[in-house]
Amino acid sequence: MGNDETVRFLIHFFNGRWFMVFASFLIMACAGATYLFGTYSKDIKSTLGYDQTTLNLLGFFKDLGANVGVLSGLIAEVTPTWFVLTIGSAMNFVGYFMIWLTVTGKVAKPKVWQMCLYICIGANSQNFANTGALVTCVKNFPESRGVMLGLLKGYVGLSGAILTQLYFAIYGHDSKSLILLIAWLPAAVSLVFVYLIREKKVVRQRNELSVFYQFLYISIFLALFLMAMNIAEKQVHFSKAAYAASATICCVLLFVPLTVSVKQEIEVWNMKKLPIEEPSEVKVEKPKKELDLSQDKTAKVDGEEKETKSCFLTVFSPPPRGEDYTILQALLSTDMIILFVATFCGLGSSLTAVDNLGQIGESLGYPNHTVSSFVSLVSIWNYFGRVFSGFVSEYLLAKYKLPRPLMMTLVLLLSCAGHLLIAFPVPGSVYIASILMGFSFGAQLPLLFAIISELFGLKYYSTLFNCGQLASPLGSYILNVRVTGMLYDREALKQLTARGLTRKDVKDLTCLGSQCYKLPFVILAAVTFFGALVSLGLAIRTREFYKGDIYKKFRESPESESDSRKAVEFVGK
């Protein structure tokens, strides 16, 4: 290629859909800083002299920020994607940088509410990354949205392990510096690609699914490498150079998808130069910018005006499952209430377990380095849980008509086993518990989002999606702050009294021994088991719905199929 053509190709490449997918992978790979709370939380606790209840209160505000994404969605409705990503970068840096300044003593000790605000702002930034990158990718690949969601959420699941490898290589074992890393790195990555993440012209490609499977295989290899490093770091003492080599390989694997993107953009570039009739674009319906809950007036049906009832009048007269519910119909339906209770129990317990991993390892006598390994294991198996539940549940649903709520029940029972391994620990059991909790935690999220979309339709999915997540921080607050934290502190005070000390004699309240988390995790296991029973009830209620063809209404009409074939013939040659 000549110089002019090379420049034109580079412009085409950086503006292409496939390069945007690669950029989104990198943004998502840095968007899971909330999963590292278990690694650096002990620094916050010891530096600021918090007891476990106060620390768990911080964990609740972290979960609150990470799960309430309504603000980012509303901003995205009226601003371009680059603005959403820029706000997210600023929030990420400010929130975590203020925490780093606090734990390193560079600023005066803040009040508890200020620390809660800092971590809530930092955690909420990941919703802006999700809205900017993930939602845009789904719009650019509407026919592969399920695979796209699984891949991007999978990279979020791996991000904890990826950031841990980078932190060891750059800062060694200084866990305070991990907070600095998660302040600047995710913000920098988002800013690098801020102008390249945007909606593109959608043209269906025949080999689209096979390309996504290439991305999937690469991400699985990355996950296996991270798991292997996690195991190796337990068996062999890693030097600074060894950590640097591990982090370098990790970065190389993160950039391997770029080769797939380059290949696809070259194919699209070559197709553009062929003198063939322009293909039909796939029409993607744009979401309405305004949402009026009381919109009732009149609607045209077959050329005639037909009066429609206000949603306030039809709130208790919902359509059949799978049709488009209004927001109030969905939120007040029995199915949503059951799903909310199951999510409260399942995700609330999982978040509590993940947030307390640092203190669990400390109470059982594990060194700091091993505690970081527990967090990495949760992150890696979180990825496998997301990929597994997305791909496997779709296969079981299509082949055997297995209701997705039944799969949720099985995942929650698996989570129960992980909680019991913490409550009644044996040598090495925390490793197994980390795997089980990470897998079940990751698997619950795609199942929850898929069930909401299947039962209540897609018309108001963005709102219902965020409402469904609200059960998660609520469960975390009650189970983490009001149950686990208070029971831990009660046991720690017993140990202080036995040593003849009072709370004023120690800076931070620490409990040592297997009894510290025995009762809290027995309660978590019982709550999760109750959630599994509730989910089983939803599976029974919806079994007839899932026996039918739930995706029938989304299939294309013959006319649109004709347009699709033209596009496939053009791009897939």
Side-chain angles (χ1 to χ4, degrees), residues 524-541:
L524 290 181
V527 169
T528 306
F529 183 73
F530 175 73
L533 294 179
V534 171
S535 179
L536 180 62
L538 183 60
I540 294 172
R541 282 175 56 87

Side-chain angles (χ1 to χ4, degrees), residues 506-547:
V506 294
K507 186 176 182 181
D508 63 305
L509 194 59
T510 302
C511 180
L512 298 175
S514 61
Q515 69 276 14
C516 299
Y517 281 100
K518 178 172 291 185
L519 181 57
F521 272 76
V522 168
I523 294 174
L524 290 181
V527 169
T528 306
F529 183 73
F530 175 73
L533 294 179
V534 171
S535 179
L536 180 62
L538 183 60
I540 294 172
R541 282 175 56 87
T542 59
R543 65 187 185 279
E544 293 301 324
F545 167 71
Y546 279 103
K547 284 181 181 179

Side-chain angles (χ1 to χ4, degrees), residues 35-36 48 51 185 304 330 352 383 549:
Y35 300 128
L36 292 170
L48 302 180
D51 57 22
L185 183 59
E304 298 180 4
T352 299
Y383 160 80
D549 188 353

Side-chain angles (χ1 to χ4, degrees), residues 11 36 51 65 113 132 143-144 160 233 295 299 303 307 324 326 342 359 375 408 421 449 505 507 529 542 563:
I11 294 173
L36 292 170
D51 57 22
W113 71 264
E143 299 300 315
S144 304
E233 287 162 8
Q295 187 176 10
E307 186 175 354
D324 291 324
T326 66
Q359 282 66 50
V375 176
M408 176 77 86
L421 285 174
F449 301 150
D505 297 325
K507 186 176 182 181
F529 183 73
T542 59
D563 288 341

Side-chain angles (χ1 to χ4, degrees), residues 262-333:
V262 170
K263 180 182 177 183
Q264 294 306 311
E265 292 298 346
I266 290 175
E267 289 185 5
V268 174
W269 172 258
N270 290 333
M271 290 301 104
K272 279 187 174 182
K273 295 191 295 184
L274 294 178
I276 301 179
E277 182 183 354
E278 188 72 17
S280 301
E281 294 180 19
V282 177
K283 294 182 179 180
V284 182
E285 184 179 353
K286 298 286 185 181
K288 294 183 179 180
K289 292 288 183 183
E290 298 181 1
L291 178 62
D292 186 357
L293 286 177
S294 60
Q295 187 176 10
D296 55 1
K297 314 308 177 192
T298 58
K300 284 192 175 183
V301 180
D302 295 331
E304 298 180 4
E305 288 191 351
K306 182 178 179 180
E307 186 175 354
T308 59
K309 293 182 179 180
S310 166
C311 67
F312 293 107
L313 299 177
T314 61
V315 64
F316 295 112
S317 301
R321 289 190 182 99
E323 298 299 321
D324 291 324
Y325 281 52
T326 66
I327 295 173
L328 291 178
Q329 284 174 339
L331 293 181
L332 297 177
S333 68

